[in-house]
Amino acid sequence: SNFVISNITVDLTKFHHVVAALDSNILSCVRDVIRNPPAENAYVALKDKILNYFAQSEFSRLKLLLRDLQLGDNRPSHLLNEMQNLAGNKMDEEVLRNLWLQRLPTNMQQILSSSTDKLTGLAQIADKIHEVSNFSLSVSSIIKEDSAIESLKTEIADLKKTVQRFSRSRFRNRTNRSRKQQSGSRSTVRSGSESRSGKKLCWYHFKFANKALKCAGNCSYSEN
């Protein structure tokens, strides 16, 4: 296109334009043609040299076409374009069609296998099926995620209830123990206690000794 835009038609001029556009790595690979260009068709010789050096070998292209190339995340039409580029004009369309169909998901193969459309039409149908399938998978994934979230919310709510019940139970147990302790203390206060000498004293004399202003019960205080 650059040659056409610039109205370049002379072979040697094309040759020098290409040489000026190449980087050092490519120049080193085709240095023999650059140093000694043929008197005629120098541009054609340089182009062929570059393509032969960097293009895939026939074996690697065939291996990629027959075995390694897969659909992956691509659209079916993109896969077909890649396969057509690899096959060039060296493969019958019917053979290419069968190879392409084998790379597609089973449900898509079942739909397309009965169609009599050409490859271009089949690729368009396959793309639509691919879009619908991806949409269905996305919706299914969203539904599963929503279900998982709801399940997680339920589990969290149940866990909260369990923690609350456990907290209330511990609070009641602490309250009951506290009440028992207080009751025991009051009972001790009411009934008095024993002095160090072993005598039974009322609460007043046990608490205040000779300063007690009252006495209750069977108190054995010596100054009673």
Side-chain angles (χ1 to χ4, degrees):
S1 295
N2 283 328
F3 294 154
V4 173
I5 292 170
S6 302
N7 198 26
I8 298 173
T9 58
V10 179
D11 180 81
L12 190 60
T13 306
K14 293 180 179 181
F15 173 84
H16 287 295
H17 270 282
V18 172
V19 171
L22 298 178
D23 60 37
S24 57
N25 292 329
I26 300 178
L27 288 173
S28 64
C29 297
V30 294
R31 59 182 179 274
D32 53 339
V33 177
I34 295 173
R35 289 175 178 173
N36 299 298
E40 295 182 358
N41 298 324
Y43 162 73
V44 175
L46 177 61
K47 181 182 68 173
D48 292 343
K49 181 77 174 181
I50 293 173
L51 292 177
N52 289 334
Y53 192 89
F54 290 100
Q56 288 178 301
S57 66
E58 194 69 26
F59 174 78
S60 62
R61 289 167 66 88
L62 187 62
K63 177 174 173 291
L64 181 61
L65 175 63
L66 297 179
R67 190 178 67 184
D68 297 340
L69 193 62
Q70 300 296 330
L71 177 62
D73 295 330
N74 295 325
R75 299 172 64 179
S77 59
H78 294 170
L79 174 64
L80 178 60
N81 288 334
E82 289 187 53
M83 297 180 72
Q84 288 173 330
N85 289 335
L86 291 171
N89 298 323
K90 300 179 181 179
M91 184 172 289
D92 183 73
E93 183 173 331
E94 189 63 27
V95 176
L96 184 62
R97 173 195 177 107
N98 291 331
L99 288 175
W100 174 65
L101 286 174
Q102 291 173 9
R103 303 293 195 281
L104 302 180
T106 305
N107 63 327
M108 203 176 293
Q109 292 183 32
Q110 294 172 348
I111 297 173
L112 299 176
S113 59
S114 60
S115 176
T116 57
D117 291 354
K118 292 186 177 181
L119 273 176
T120 304
L122 278 181
Q124 293 176 354
I125 297 173
D127 282 350
K128 292 179 180 178
I129 298 173
H130 182 70
E131 290 175 1
V132 173
S133 299
N134 285 346
F135 178 75
S136 299
L137 289 174
S138 299
V139 171
S140 176
S141 177
I142 291 172
I143 292 173
K144 288 180 180 178
E145 289 178 1
D146 289 343
S147 177
I149 291 172
E150 290 301 322
S151 177
L152 184 60
K153 287 181 178 179
T154 302
E155 291 179 6
I156 292 173
D158 292 341
L159 183 60
K160 285 183 177 179
K161 291 179 181 178
T162 302
V163 171
Q164 289 173 353
R165 286 196 298 269
F166 179 71
S167 299
R168 286 196 294 268
S169 176
R170 290 189 62 187
F171 176 76
R172 284 196 297 269
N173 291 336
R174 287 198 301 268
T175 302
N176 291 335
R177 284 197 300 269
S178 178
R179 287 174 178 173
K180 288 179 180 179
Q181 290 172 356
Q182 291 175 2
S183 175
S185 177
R186 286 195 296 268
S187 175
T188 301
V189 168
R190 293 192 196 98
S191 62
S193 183
E194 293 183 356
S195 66
R196 293 178 181 178
S197 62
K199 295 180 178 181
K200 185 72 174 181
L201 301 178
C202 70
W203 181 82
Y204 300 103
H205 280 113
F206 178 80
K207 181 72 174 178
F208 302 108
N210 61 349
K211 294 182 180 180
L213 300 178
K214 292 183 180 182
C215 182
N218 298 325
C219 180
S220 301
Y221 185 66
S222 60
E223 298 181 7
N224 195 4

